[in-house]
Amino acid sequence: MRVEPAHDGRTKDAPPPRRDFWPEASELIQADTRASLDIVVRWSVITVGALALWYAMAAPLPLIWAMSYIVIDASYVSIMRRWRPPVRLPGYMMIMAMNIVTSSAFAVMPYYLITTDQLGLTFAGLCGFLGMCVHNLVRHRGLTHVAVWDVILMGIGAALVAWVFVRNAASTGEAVLILTGVVGLSVYFGVAYLGSLHIRGRLNKAEMIRAEAQKMEAVGRLTGGVAHDFNNILTVILGNLDLYEELDHPGERDSVVREAQVAANRAATLTAQLLSFSGRATLRPEPIEIAEFLDGMGTMYRRILPATITLIMDAGPPGLTCRADPNQLSTALLNLVINARDAMPEGGHISVTARPRKLPYPQAPHRSDGRRLSGRFCAIAVRDNGPGIPEARLEEVKAPFFTTKPLGKGSGLGLSMVVGFAEQTEGALSLRNRPEGGLEATLVLPQADRDATVPLTDASDMAE
């Protein structure tokens, strides 16, 4: 049977691509899990409030509610922090359901207290209800996909407040006054909530425009750098080929051919660096025994380092194994060692240290796509005692074609190649200035499965 192509390039019989809900899910994950201070304060206030209610009511119900809510919220935060793209429709529905269950679990106690006949308990319920409104306004602003449930919860609370106070009103005029106040406050809060959604939408649009401008600037910089470098290489190749036709002596002809070959190899190296930078290099990851690997690399490092630089190698605990492409890993580490060498023209010390590390932790290296690393990793740190890098340029030096070396001494793709390789290998590269002086470049790569028994080193050990 002949299959006609569809207008979008797919065949008519091909299923449509499945939508990824990660953009919507990531906004909620960031709002509900990244504000650690908000979480700690909220749990602390709920605990103190539950103890006060337990004392006032002489009943264990507030304590049961507080413990239940904290367990539900902690489970929600823990699950959300581990979520990774892509997110399909069932996963997105599960995320939304967990958010609804968590917010409903909090609202139960304030709503119950509002309906009691004791003034102090009603006031405590009002405080909890207003706290929930503030949380929704501040933390969930701009998240239109959760706004509907937030509005429903706030509407239920406002209706309960109106019903309780109108029921206890001394006269019709007092009841009208209460209703007017509740409705007016609810309308004003609703307008403020919608306004925050509009402002957040404008901010998101501005951020997208800014990101697009930065991307175009990077593309222009990359294109200009590639064109400049390839033009220089092609000039050498074409010049030597033209010269080859004019020479008669075999030795002179061999010399110009060798120079053309050197230029061609530079072009091949530049192409490989571009592929690594773009994250499109063909990688063949395999388990790499770090001790054996660094022992072999140490011999090469000592050949390229001058006598004025001392090299210290520390492969870490026995059995430490990472999973990466060995050729790309050797190139990446060689780039870091060469950068450390060039930072110390007068001599100094370079140390290459490997340690197992479990992520995440507060100073975990971040990736350019914003993802947080989680799990068991191998951290290979290259340290020097040179001048370091100004803090304002620590991220800029990772950009393609950015270099502080003299013209012709570097392409500016070394660190960007290392970043591309690390992130394509599901790892990351971090740079930091050491307190005692010098730079520490840490290449973080996933451990191989057989490393589960390697004892973990505390993250502070890598910062020594």
Side-chain angles (χ1 to χ4, degrees):
M1 181 181 69
R2 184 171 178 265
V3 180
E4 296 292 337
H7 292 295
D8 58 359
R10 295 180 289 108
T11 61
K12 289 184 178 180
D13 291 350
R18 300 175 64 189
R19 181 184 171 187
D20 184 6
F21 288 87
W22 175 248
E24 294 87 350
S26 62
E27 290 183 339
L28 185 58
I29 291 172
Q30 184 172 1
D32 284 347
T33 65
R34 298 295 172 86
S36 300
L37 179 61
D38 175 84
I39 295 173
V40 171
V41 171
R42 177 159 28 100
W43 290 355
S44 300
V45 171
I46 287 174
T47 302
V48 173
L51 291 172
L53 288 171
W54 171 62
Y55 175 77
M57 299 172 64
L61 181 61
L63 296 180
I64 296 174
W65 164 77
M67 289 187 292
S68 301
Y69 169 74
I70 291 176
V71 169
I72 292 173
D73 195 35
S75 302
Y76 169 68
V77 170
S78 177
I79 293 173
M80 294 284 273
R81 281 178 173 172
R82 288 173 168 76
W83 216 286
R84 295 292 180 270
V87 176
R88 302 307 179 191
L89 182 59
Y92 179 65
M93 297 301 294
M94 180 179 176
I95 290 174
M96 294 299 299
M98 289 190 297
N99 177 267
I100 291 174
V101 169
T102 304
S103 55
S104 301
F106 175 82
V108 166
M109 182 55 65
Y111 290 172
Y112 167 74
L113 295 175
I114 289 173
T115 59
T116 60
D117 295 328
Q118 300 182 39
L119 180 61
L121 297 181
T122 301
F123 179 77
L126 279 172
C127 291
F129 169 62
L130 292 176
M132 182 186 70
C133 292
V134 171
H135 176 272
N136 292 342
L137 182 63
V138 174
R139 299 302 310 163
H140 288 171
R141 60 186 177 190
L143 304 181
T144 54
H145 46 293
V146 297
V148 174
W149 182 246
D150 287 346
V151 170
I152 290 175
L153 280 180
M154 291 184 287
I156 293 173
L160 284 176
V161 171
W163 175 71
V164 168
F165 281 90
V166 168
R167 183 186 61 180
N168 297 322
S171 64
T172 303
E174 191 174 291
V176 171
L177 185 63
I178 292 171
L179 282 174
T180 302
V182 171
V183 172
L185 185 61
S186 300
V187 170
Y188 183 78
F189 189 87
V191 171
Y193 193 80
L194 292 176
S196 71
L197 294 179
H198 178 66
I199 292 173
R200 182 60 178 266
R202 292 175 60 186
L203 287 175
N204 287 341
K205 185 177 180 180
E207 289 175 358
M208 290 175 61
I209 294 174
R210 178 172 174 268
E212 187 68 22
Q214 289 179 330
K215 183 171 69 174
M216 294 306 297
E217 180 184 358
V219 169
R221 187 175 179 180
L222 178 64
T223 304
V226 171
H228 176 76
D229 278 13
F230 267 108
N231 183 63
N232 291 341
I233 293 171
L234 289 174
T235 299
V236 174
I237 295 175
L238 294 175
N240 280 284
L241 291 178
D242 290 340
L243 186 59
Y244 179 86
E245 295 179 353
E246 299 177 3
L247 296 175
D248 296 325
H249 193 278
E252 293 177 340
R253 283 191 163 191
D254 290 342
S255 177
V256 296
V257 168
R258 282 194 298 271
E259 290 183 11
Q261 287 176 334
V262 169
N265 288 331
R266 284 182 56 200
T269 301
L270 181 60
T271 303
Q273 289 177 328
L274 286 170
L275 287 172
S276 295
F277 156 71
S278 65
R280 298 181 183 276
T282 302
L283 300 182
R284 294 177 175 82
E286 60 184 60
I288 300 175
E289 188 79 26
I290 295 299
E292 181 181 349
F293 181 82
L294 290 183
D295 182 59
M297 293 294 294
T299 304
M300 181 176 65
Y301 296 157
R302 290 182 176 90
R303 286 201 302 265
I304 65 172
L305 294 177
T308 55
I309 292 181
T310 303
L311 177 65
I312 303 171
M313 304 288 289
D314 182 358
L320 179 59
T321 307
C322 73
R323 184 169 184 81
D325 184 306
N327 294 327
Q328 292 285 344
L329 177 57
S330 62
T331 303
L333 289 177
L334 183 60
N335 268 301
L336 297 180
V337 171
I338 290 176
N339 284 343
R341 179 200 66 185
D342 294 344
M344 302 182 296
E346 304 299 325
H349 299 272
I350 295 178
S351 66
V352 181
T353 306
R355 292 287 185 272
R357 183 182 291 182
K358 186 175 183 180
L359 302 180
Y361 66 91
Q363 292 80 35
H366 66 276
R367 293 166 52 94
S368 58
D369 58 9
R371 288 172 53 195
R372 294 184 64 188
L373 298 179
S374 178
R376 292 175 175 267
F377 290 82
C378 172
I380 306 176
V382 178
R383 305 186 183 101
D384 61 63
N385 59 343
I389 298 175
E391 292 293 332
R393 288 192 164 184
L394 276 177
E395 292 301 319
E396 187 180 4
V397 296
K398 298 179 183 179
F401 297 106
F402 179 90
T403 180
T404 57
K405 298 178 182 179
L407 185 64
K409 296 294 185 181
S411 66
L413 281 173
L415 279 179
S416 59
M417 183 276 290
V418 178
V419 172
F421 157 69
E423 297 194 354
Q424 194 178 356
T425 315
E426 298 299 318
L429 174 72
S430 69
L431 301 176
R432 77 176 188 95
N433 289 308
R434 304 172 64 196
E436 62 273 24
L439 182 73
E440 177 181 279
T442 304
L443 186 60
V444 180
L445 302 172
Q447 286 191 28
D449 293 339
R450 64 184 182 184
D451 289 325
T453 59
V454 176
L456 291 171
T457 300
D458 187 76
S460 60
D461 290 353
M462 294 302 297
E464 292 176 356

